[in-house]
Amino acid sequence: TKAHGKKVNIRLTKSALRRSRTYRPKVRIVEVGIRRNTKKATEQLDKIMGAGFYRPDLLAMAKEKHSRIMRSFKKNKSAAKRKAPKK
């Protein structure tokens, strides 16, 4: 995840697909933004990792990680208590 103002973006870090870029340190690692919507994120991960032949063995693990990240964004509703009105 990466903070972008008030919102937090989910990022997928992967190595560059072109072989020539793997020799250059600055462009060796590529970050791709993943959507927060679970359905759209699943389709996006399928496209990047499954259909793109980029580590299809880690596809299930990436989907599980996305669901854990989304669960961590949820706030506990009972923790936010209202103050008593002033008398």
Side-chain angles (χ1 to χ4, degrees):
T1 59
K2 191 172 188 178
H4 183 73
K6 280 190 173 182
K7 293 195 175 191
V8 178
N9 297 335
I10 302 173
R11 313 292 284 174
L12 172 71
T13 305
K14 62 180 204 167
S15 60
L17 293 176
R18 292 188 183 176
R19 190 170 195 172
S20 62
R21 291 186 183 162
T22 59
Y23 302 118
R24 292 184 271 167
K26 285 187 178 179
V27 291
R28 182 180 177 141
I29 296 174
V30 179
E31 281 191 351
V32 179
I34 302 294
R35 300 187 185 276
R36 291 175 67 143
N37 183 336
T38 306
K39 185 178 177 184
K40 290 181 181 180
T42 305
E43 292 172 3
Q44 191 176 12
L45 287 170
D46 283 333
K47 186 176 178 183
I48 293 171
M49 298 178 77
F53 300 110
Y54 180 83
R55 296 300 302 264
D57 56 323
L58 296 178
L59 181 58
M61 194 181 300
K63 289 179 183 178
E64 175 63 31
K65 178 75 171 182
H66 181 271
S67 66
R68 278 188 278 152
I69 290 172
M70 289 306 296
R71 227 177 300 136
S72 73
F73 287 158
K74 293 187 184 279
K75 302 292 183 215
N76 189 358
K77 291 181 181 178
S78 63
K81 294 182 181 179
R82 293 184 179 170
K83 292 182 178 180
K86 293 182 179 179
K87 294 182 182 180

